[in-house]
Amino acid sequence: MSRALPKNAMRTVLVTGAASGFGRGVVSALLARGFRVLATMRKADARRESFASEIAKYPDALEVLELDVTNAEDRDAIAQLATRRGLDGLVNNAGYGLFGALEDVSEAQLRAQLEVNFFGLALLTQALLPALRIARGFVINLSSTMGTTAFPLTGAYCASKFALEGLSEALYHELSPHGVRVHLVEPGGHRTDFATNVTWGDRVTAAYSGQTRGYRALYTRLASGSGTPPDAVIAAVAALAQRPSTRLRIPVGRDARAIATLRALLPDSITLPALSLIFRRVFPKNGPRPVTAIAPQSEAR
Ligand SMILES: NC(=O)c1ccc[n+]([C@@H]2O[C@H](COP(=O)([O-])OP(=O)(O)OC[C@H]3O[C@@H](n4cnc5c(N)ncnc54)[C@H](OP(=O)(O)O)[C@@H]3O)[C@@H](O)[C@H]2O)c1
């Protein structure tokens, strides 16, 4: 049974990657719900200005702080601050996508992907857990549909999110006796800066050029502003912060819920070949048909 926390308890939550997308929205949603927020990001000094109206509205509740999750000194500084002040919640949101066929991503790109989406997150969480255990607080990890179901040409990103899912499930059990909640929010595709910030493999092997063109076309469309607004993900994170829940995985978005339901109901022997067929149609080996090759209906007859 879930229990709402007292509204007036001023609890402190740290959000990573708070400059844009879900993170930016979560900061506003938590402030509006009466939380004290440590909004952390890279280049915080240059970005503080974009929080001016909220700093004016919540002068005692919002702090904008520097944190590159891959930087050990940044993590140490944040951990010291959290230990001094106390910390009730951590929203591990910072992340990005490295896309492209495995043959097309360099070792440095592969390692950087895991460094941000997994190692940085894991080490930050490790550093903040002593404070979170004292507060009997919570950890909310931004995973993805791609944390449970892999798509082609996204192996590096999927690996980072599958790793996060494993870590989080272990922590769910490990920390429950200590009163610390762990949740995985698993969004489907949503409109943030994610598509713009996708890094592609540093080469395109001829064998994958068609599939890569198809995937890039999809992400160019998403980067141009189409897609589901981020509100439901932001609301899901804020609700978990406010109202204790025993749920580990929370898929958000119609696509995410549909895939989660299919995976829960059907065995891999059915879903994997079916998904493979779909992926072969959506990202064909020879690439999407050029628009000019599609004859108008009247001429095609
Ligand atoms: N949007 C989607 O469709 C979607 C779907 C499923 C899951 N997700 C996940 O949701 C999370 C948030 O992404 P978003 O959609 O809100 O995209 P976004 O707008 O690109 O936000 C990602 C944030 O992560 C920050 N970041 C990247 N590397 C960092 C580092 N080393 N240290 C600290 N911050 C870093 C970025 O900061 P900079 O500006 O400094 O690069 C950016 O503010 C990610 O974990 C992503 O994997 C997104």
Side-chain angles (χ1 to χ4, degrees):
M1 257 256 293
S2 62
R3 175 181 56 85
L5 292 165
K7 276 206 173 76
N8 57 359
M10 188 86 164
R11 307 199 331 142
T12 303
V13 180
L14 187 147
V15 183
T16 67
S20 64
F22 298 144
R24 182 69 183 82
V26 165
V27 169
S28 303
L30 292 177
L31 287 169
R33 284 166 173 76
F35 286 91
R36 185 175 284 130
V37 181
L38 306 178
T40 71
M41 66 203 67
R42 300 191 282 196
K43 298 178 254 152
D45 287 342
R47 288 163 150 175
R48 196 165 282 112
E49 188 56 31
S50 66
F51 290 84
S53 67
E54 277 154 318
I55 291 172
K57 192 167 173 191
Y58 306 102
D60 301 325
L62 174 60
E63 275 182 86
V64 176
L65 300 167
E66 180 71 26
L67 174 62
D68 178 333
V69 296
T70 65
N71 183 311
E73 279 177 23
D74 287 359
R75 291 195 305 262
D76 285 350
I78 286 287
Q80 281 174 27
L81 184 132
T83 308
R84 275 199 315 274
R85 305 254 197 90
L87 185 70
D88 300 283
L90 167 63
V91 179
N92 279 314
N93 164 76
Y96 73 98
L98 167 62
F99 290 178
L102 179 62
E103 287 187 61
D104 290 344
V105 300
S106 67
E107 178 177 345
Q109 286 184 309
L110 193 55
R111 289 187 184 280
Q113 174 73 113
L114 273 290
E115 211 53 63
V116 175
N117 290 12
F118 180 70
F119 288 108
L121 177 154
L123 293 169
L124 177 69
T125 306
Q126 183 185 65
L128 295 177
L129 273 175
L132 291 168
R133 274 192 291 103
I134 290 169
R136 299 176 72 81
F138 61 85
V139 180
I140 300 173
N141 290 331
L142 264 292
S143 178
S144 169
T145 300
M146 291 189 189
T148 60
T149 299
F151 290 45
L153 290 110
T154 58
Y157 180 67
C158 290
S160 72
K161 295 296 187 184
F162 271 61
L164 173 59
E165 295 263 340
L167 175 73
S168 304
E169 190 168 319
L171 288 178
Y172 178 90
H173 299 301
E174 188 170 311
L175 296 175
S176 127
H178 303 277
V180 177
R181 298 183 277 133
V182 177
H183 307 287
L184 281 160
V185 172
E186 300 170 333
H190 288 81
R191 194 172 65 224
T192 62
D193 289 350
F194 184 85
T196 315
N197 289 334
V198 162
T199 300
W200 291 89
D202 61 7
R203 54 192 173 251
V204 180
T205 306
Y208 304 105
S209 65
Q211 290 159 284
T212 306
R213 265 203 321 282
Y215 224 105
R216 288 193 87 130
L218 171 70
Y219 269 79
T220 304
R221 270 204 309 283
L222 291 176
S224 72
S226 54
T228 314
D231 310 38
V233 176
I234 295 163
V237 173
L240 285 169
Q242 197 160 31
R243 183 175 286 273
S245 154
T246 54
R247 285 182 75 190
L248 171 62
R249 293 187 170 84
I250 298 102
V252 184
R254 241 189 300 178
D255 50 350
R257 284 194 303 275
I259 290 179
T261 306
L262 281 180
R263 297 306 299 264
L265 295 179
L266 298 173
D268 278 3
S269 57
I270 294 176
T271 45
L272 293 184
L275 281 172
S276 211
L277 267 180
I278 293 169
F279 291 140
R280 286 172 76 146
R281 285 185 74 100
V282 179
F283 310 116
K285 191 172 158 218
N286 297 322
R289 276 198 294 168
V291 178
T292 49
I294 302 170
Q297 286 285 317
S298 54
E299 288 174 35
R301 279 196 209 108

